Amino acid sequence: MKIVLTLLVFALISTTNIYAQKQIKPKLSKIESLFKKGELIEAKEISDVSISYEKTMNNPKTWYLRGLIYMALDTSASMVGVTSDALQTSLSSFNKSDVLNEGEDKEPFITDDVGIPTTKTQQIETYWGFYYNKAATAFGEKDFVEAITSFNNAALIKPNDTNSVINAGYAAVQAKMYDQAKNSFYKAIELGSTERDVRLILIYVVSTGQKLLEESLEIIRDARVLYPSDNELARQEINVLIQLDRSEEATTNLIKAIEAEPDDPNLHFTLGILHEEIGLKVDSEAEKSERIELARKAYTAAINADPNYYNGHYNLGVLAMTEVNIYIKEQNSLGYSKVDLKKSEELEPIIQEKLSLALPLWEKTVLLKDDELPALETLAYLYTMKKMYDEAESIQAKIDALK
């Protein structure tokens, strides 16, 4: 019995020694062969040893193969649970390979059975695509938490890719995870994104989602440096100032800025929006009318400063149409009694006069930018109301072409 036990112990020691010898003498060709065959568990075991084995630890291919193996473990459905940190291990291994390969002209690659090479860049792109597509699918299925995770993983694989970061932010907004969303959009901006929509959604997240009005004001003002004549951003800034009870302060500051730079149409335009927004908040009809008139004067000053200033013409046109619609609505509300018909007749010349005032404003607006559907549709409506049917048909053709 003692002899048998001794033999078993000896056998166990011998087997362990053989395995240890295999472990301390990894061959990169063996690792690559196992990887190509899909024998990932054994490839992983040898690769794990290769990174501390003296003859292979400083070889860039050692780390490159390790990155490929862990990438395959991470993306293979049959390998779930084999390792808990496959993504990070893969990326850190690829990065180590890059450091060791610095100064070399050729990037690492492996060939398939017929000798066609696939480079590390191509493999990274495939890895990124795996997570990006996974995220897009999750987003479409309204699994926003999974979408956030996968978009963030895609961003880890390609750190300079703003698409993944921005989409992670959009998914977080859908999930009402506003801290996550804000972090994503700030990161996209840090990476160099100049997209207007990124700023707008960030403003929404910070001002509406988190109620951080001062912070949202900073974001808006930074965005307006990029888009100084943007109508929506100007409105956002004014709305935030009003919520902060700083509308009069904003008015004073704008007037001072206009005095310093009277030829800047953006300043006049912003003042016009401020008057409009304040007018929407007050209860007095007299004060509302006063604010509308101040807005009209500010927009007029904007186009006097720059006759081709699109936003000024557009907003003047909107104010003119608002006046027209007051009378049209009143006319449409009338019945068919003699009194109502007489009142309708009395309103008609007033409507036509208001339409005549609005028409040149919208003609100029469309002349400045003839691919904006709202402006084109308004002009087509005005031509129709003025019985200028040929002109209306011409504008309608443009609308149909754009649609």
Side-chain angles (χ1 to χ4, degrees):
M1 196 64 168
K2 288 182 180 178
I3 294 173
V4 172
L5 182 60
T6 302
L7 288 173
L8 285 172
V9 172
F10 178 76
L12 180 61
I13 293 170
S14 298
T15 303
T16 304
N17 286 339
I18 291 168
Y19 182 70
Q21 286 175 350
K22 287 183 179 178
Q23 288 288 81
I24 62 172
K25 291 185 178 180
K27 292 183 179 179
L28 299 185
S29 58
K30 175 68 171 177
I31 297 172
E32 183 173 349
S33 175
L34 289 168
F35 169 75
K36 288 181 178 181
K37 291 176 184 176
E39 296 178 15
L40 299 178
I41 302 297
E42 188 176 353
K44 172 189 174 299
E45 290 174 351
I46 302 175
S47 177
D48 286 344
V49 176
S50 70
I51 61 171
S52 56
Y53 181 56
E54 186 178 0
K55 292 184 178 180
T56 55
M57 61 189 296
N58 293 318
N59 189 328
K61 189 170 184 179
T62 299
W63 294 93
Y64 165 62
L65 290 173
R66 181 175 171 80
L68 290 179
I69 291 164
Y70 275 86
M71 179 180 78
L73 290 169
D74 189 32
T75 56
S76 299
S78 62
M79 294 293 161
V80 173
V82 171
T83 179
S84 60
D85 58 351
L87 174 62
Q88 289 292 349
T89 303
S90 177
L91 296 180
S92 62
S93 297
F94 282 136
N95 289 337
K96 178 74 171 179
S97 173
D98 289 342
V99 171
L100 293 172
N101 202 43
E102 191 174 359
E104 297 293 327
D105 292 334
K106 286 180 123 183
E107 66 173 325
F109 65 91
I110 58 170
T111 58
D112 60 17
D113 294 338
V114 293
I116 297 175
T118 305
T119 65
K120 176 176 155 296
T121 296
Q122 293 169 316
Q123 288 147 351
I124 288 288
E125 190 69 25
T126 300
Y127 200 6
W128 172 85
F130 169 82
Y131 273 113
Y132 194 91
N133 292 334
K134 185 178 180 181
T137 299
F139 194 101
E141 294 172 351
K142 301 189 185 304
D143 185 354
F144 298 118
V145 174
E146 174 58 41
I148 294 166
T149 299
S150 293
F151 276 131
N152 283 337
N153 285 344
L156 286 173
I157 294 166
K158 287 171 64 174
N160 294 321
D161 171 47
T162 56
N163 284 330
S164 300
V165 177
I166 291 169
N167 283 320
Y170 283 130
V173 171
Q174 293 295 324
K176 294 183 170 53
M177 298 169 62
Y178 294 124
D179 287 343
Q180 168 78 53
K182 181 168 78 170
N183 290 339
S184 293
F185 294 129
Y186 271 135
K187 183 178 178 184
I189 291 169
E190 287 171 10
L191 288 171
S193 171
T194 57
E195 289 186 36
R196 171 182 175 272
D197 287 348
V198 168
R199 269 84 179 164
L200 288 175
I201 192 68
L202 176 58
I203 293 162
Y204 166 80
V205 166
V206 175
S207 63
T208 304
Q210 298 185 314
K211 310 296 184 189
L212 300 173
L213 295 178
E214 292 286 359
E215 184 178 350
S216 70
L217 187 59
E218 290 180 18
I219 299 164
I220 293 166
R221 286 175 170 170
D222 286 343
R224 293 204 68 197
V225 173
L226 291 175
Y227 304 99
S229 60
D230 187 274
N231 197 339
E232 179 60 25
L233 286 169
R235 288 189 184 281
Q236 293 272 12
E237 180 175 4
I238 288 160
N239 279 327
V240 170
L241 286 169
I242 290 172
Q243 288 179 71
L244 290 168
D245 293 324
R246 289 166 55 184
S247 57
E248 292 306 322
E249 172 196 337
T251 305
T252 302
N253 289 343
L254 271 171
I255 290 171
K256 286 181 180 177
I258 288 168
E259 289 171 354
E261 298 181 71
D263 295 329
D264 186 341
N266 293 317
L267 293 173
H268 293 288
F269 174 74
T270 304
L271 180 60
I273 289 179
L274 178 56
H275 285 307
E276 276 201 77
E277 293 298 321
I278 293 173
L280 292 173
K281 309 292 184 199
V282 298
D283 296 325
S284 165
E285 289 301 321
E287 190 174 349
K288 282 181 188 291
S289 297
E290 182 184 352
R291 288 291 180 176
I292 292 299
E293 191 54 38
L294 288 170
R296 195 191 317 277
K297 288 179 180 178
Y299 296 141
T300 301
I303 62 174
N304 286 339
D306 179 0
N308 294 322
Y309 188 70
Y310 178 82
N311 284 341
H313 286 284
Y314 188 97
N315 280 23
L316 277 174
V318 170
L319 290 180
M321 286 306 299
T322 300
E323 275 195 51
V324 171
N325 288 331
I326 290 170
Y327 293 100
I328 290 176
K329 185 178 179 181
E330 183 180 353
Q331 188 183 56
N332 289 339
S333 69
L334 296 171
Y336 295 96
S337 69
K338 284 185 178 180
V339 173
D340 285 344
L341 290 173
K342 183 181 179 183
K343 179 66 175 175
S344 179
E345 287 178 11
E346 291 171 352
L347 287 172
E348 187 60 29
I350 299 173
I351 291 170
Q352 290 301 319
E353 180 188 357
K354 298 296 182 183
L355 289 168
S356 295
L357 291 172
L359 182 58
L361 293 170
W362 286 101
E363 286 178 326
K364 178 66 174 180
T365 301
V366 168
L367 182 65
L368 290 172
K369 196 180 290 187
D370 64 357
D371 60 352
E372 295 287 330
L373 281 174
L376 287 166
E377 288 167 346
T378 302
L379 183 56
Y381 170 78
L382 284 166
Y383 280 142
T384 301
M385 293 292 287
K386 294 296 291 180
K387 297 181 173 57
M388 301 169 66
Y389 298 120
D390 289 343
E391 289 85 348
E393 285 182 15
S394 175
I395 296 299
Q396 188 59 50
K398 286 186 178 182
I399 292 170
D400 293 340
L402 285 171
K403 287 182 176 179

